[in-house]
Amino acid sequence: MGKTTIQMSPVAVADRKDLPIRAGATVKVYQKIEEKGKIRLQVFEGLVLGIKGGKSNGSMFTVRKTASGVGVERIFPLYSPSIDKIEIVRQSDVRRAKLSYLRAKTSHDIRRKMRHTKTGSTVPVQEGEVVETEAAEAKA
């Protein structure tokens, strides 16, 4: 296998340093991904849970989104050359620096909604015959 080198553009450090990204911001992160020799941009849009390291060299920010009912988190380095741009969609007012409580909150909300939903349970009508609940109510 031959070596493949990914050509990354230099990061505009001054632009990233002045970026007003905080916890509670909804952001779109455009990340460069190389597939079959071509570079494409992949967008990850979600809520910023927190920033580690402030604006220093090794600073990272965590973004969480819900995809197909499953929570997905990604941790991005602020000054990574693989990130093309970071777009702030909106900024929510939050009273915490880290929003890690949202992980448990969403699972509690889902469980609460599941408690109040009706399931398609089955009711035995005669020996060996099973009919759906709604069909059994319609017959009665």
Side-chain angles (χ1 to χ4, degrees):
M1 291 180 80
K3 286 187 177 181
T4 58
T5 57
I6 300 173
Q7 195 70 12
M8 296 294 175
S9 61
V11 178
V13 177
D15 293 341
R16 296 269 174 98
K17 198 170 220 171
D18 295 337
L19 194 66
I21 188 170
R22 298 187 344 215
T26 302
V27 295
K28 283 184 182 179
V29 180
Y30 294 85
Q31 189 173 18
K32 296 176 192 171
I33 294 179
E34 184 179 3
E35 289 180 344
K36 299 178 184 174
K38 292 183 180 180
I39 295 177
R40 67 178 181 88
L41 291 179
Q42 185 178 36
V43 181
F44 190 87
E45 182 176 359
L47 183 73
V48 176
L49 294 184
I51 300 175
K52 282 188 172 186
K55 300 289 182 178
S56 66
N57 277 346
S59 63
M60 316 273 258
F61 61 100
T62 306
V63 181
R64 179 182 175 88
K65 76 172 183 178
T66 305
S68 302
V70 179
V72 179
E73 287 186 13
R74 291 195 60 189
I75 301 171
F76 296 102
L78 185 62
Y79 300 107
S80 173
S82 67
I83 295 177
D84 188 47
K85 66 178 178 176
I86 302 168
E87 182 180 317
I88 298 176
V89 179
R90 69 172 170 260
Q91 175 67 49
S92 301
D93 290 333
V94 293
R95 297 182 179 190
R96 305 276 181 275
K98 305 277 191 281
L99 304 178
S100 56
Y101 68 91
L102 288 179
R103 295 180 187 124
K105 182 182 182 308
T106 53
S107 62
H108 286 296
D109 290 345
I110 290 170
R111 265 189 252 129
R112 188 182 67 221
K113 286 180 184 175
M114 292 299 289
R115 246 185 276 149
H116 299 295
T117 57
K118 294 182 180 179
T119 58
S121 60
T122 57
V123 177
V125 177
Q126 292 178 352
E127 195 169 302
E129 187 180 344
V130 177
V131 180
E132 290 291 322
T133 308
E134 297 167 0
E137 290 174 8
K139 285 184 179 181

